[in-house]
Amino acid sequence: MPKRGKKYKEVSKLVDRTKMYSIEDAIQLVKKVSYTKFDGTVELHIVLGIDPKKTDQNVRGTISLPNGTGKSVRVLVFAEGEKAEQARQAGADYVGSDDLIEKINSEGWTDFDVAIATPDMMRKIARLGKVLGPRGLMPSPKAGTVTEDIAQAVKEFKAGKVEVRNDRTGNIHVPVGKVSFNNEALKENILSALEQINKMKPESSKGKFIKKATISPTMGPAIVIDLSSLGEIKVA
């Protein structure tokens, strides 16, 4: 267990570890236990009922949050010619081909949040898998980051579209807003995220899919959400 600082220990006293909170109470509490001086991110952590060692049970896709993440997303696009120009006009932060591939390959540069590519670029960027793969930045058709409609993809990720994928332990971690968001905006984002992820259940995964969900601030303890409090959202 990592060592916890004095502030963390203080705010942790506000959370009952034996209790599951309604989504409304959890949101109120996550704001109280956030102790950063900056506007922290609220993260949703989901324990999935999958076997991450089985490739047909792995979960990867994208979700769109109705109120965005509150974060400025840096988008890189691998494209050439007209598609590259479309990416620039749509607001991509970095656009290029061989130049970006070389920078990433030689320097290990990954100062961006999302990488999008046109299908014809995938052959060239395949060699970047060792750099981008472990960081979850490798473009993928399943994640909507390999597409001919570059402009639309750039706009969607800039507006708050988020890629989600399970980690090695079968959990998903996704930002759902900022501590400064009003309670209703956070609730809408959390419910929307849970509903969209619930629909990603692999056919080979049996039993309960979303086993546990918690929210936590950038710095602060996690709060367990009572899944039965989600009303119209039914988690399988």
Side-chain angles (χ1 to χ4, degrees):
M1 290 290 290
K3 285 188 175 181
R4 301 297 191 181
K6 183 179 178 182
K7 287 185 177 179
Y8 183 95
K9 291 178 180 177
E10 285 179 0
V11 296
S12 291
K13 295 176 183 177
L14 300 174
V15 181
D16 184 345
R17 298 285 186 179
T18 66
K19 180 179 177 181
M20 292 190 293
Y21 292 84
S22 69
I23 188 168
E24 293 83 4
D25 288 346
I27 289 169
Q28 289 183 350
L29 192 52
V30 81
K31 294 187 173 191
K32 291 179 181 178
V33 300
S34 176
Y35 59 90
T36 55
K37 292 182 180 179
F38 57 87
D39 188 11
T41 295
V42 176
E43 295 183 351
L44 174 65
H45 308 280
I46 303 172
V47 179
L48 299 177
I50 62 171
D51 183 349
K53 294 180 181 178
K54 296 181 178 179
T55 56
D56 63 344
Q57 290 193 27
N58 275 260
V59 175
R60 185 177 185 183
T62 57
I63 62 173
S64 294
L65 300 176
N67 302 296
T69 63
K71 178 184 177 182
S72 177
V73 180
R74 299 163 299 174
V75 176
L76 177 146
V77 174
F78 294 106
E80 297 175 328
E82 184 182 344
K83 295 293 184 182
E85 185 55 35
Q86 290 174 6
R88 292 187 186 96
Q89 291 182 4
D93 300 273
Y94 309 102
V95 182
S97 176
D98 295 335
D99 54 336
L100 289 180
I101 292 171
E102 179 58 30
K103 183 177 178 66
I104 293 168
N105 193 48
S106 62
E107 302 175 19
W109 177 72
T110 56
D111 195 20
F112 48 92
D113 302 299
V114 178
I116 302 171
T118 53
D120 62 316
M121 290 297 299
M122 290 306 292
R123 180 178 56 81
K124 285 189 173 185
I125 66 176
R127 62 192 178 110
L128 300 179
K130 289 183 179 180
V131 179
L132 300 183
R135 295 170 175 79
L137 293 171
M138 192 68 180
S140 161
K142 194 173 182 180
T145 47
V146 177
T147 177
E148 289 286 2
D149 196 348
I150 286 293
Q152 184 64 23
V154 171
K155 290 174 183 176
E156 287 179 350
F157 278 100
K158 280 286 189 180
K161 192 173 186 178
V162 181
E163 181 179 355
V164 296
R165 60 190 301 181
N166 62 270
D167 62 18
R168 293 177 182 177
T169 61
N171 300 331
I172 280 179
H173 313 278
V174 57
V176 288
K178 294 287 187 179
V179 172
S180 62
F181 278 24
N182 66 54
N183 290 10
E184 191 59 32
L186 280 173
K187 180 180 177 180
E188 287 177 357
N189 276 1
I190 293 167
L191 289 177
S192 179
L194 285 168
E195 187 171 34
Q196 291 175 74
I197 291 169
N198 192 47
K199 291 177 180 178
M200 296 179 186
K201 182 179 182 178
E203 290 185 10
S204 57
S205 174
K206 306 302 179 184
K208 195 171 182 65
F209 182 51
I210 295 181
K211 299 176 72 174
K212 182 180 179 181
T214 65
I215 56 172
S216 64
T218 300
M219 295 179 71
I223 300 145
V224 181
I225 295 174
D226 180 1
L227 295 176
S228 67
S229 74
L230 303 184
E232 70 277 9
I233 305 298
K234 303 297 183 184
V235 292

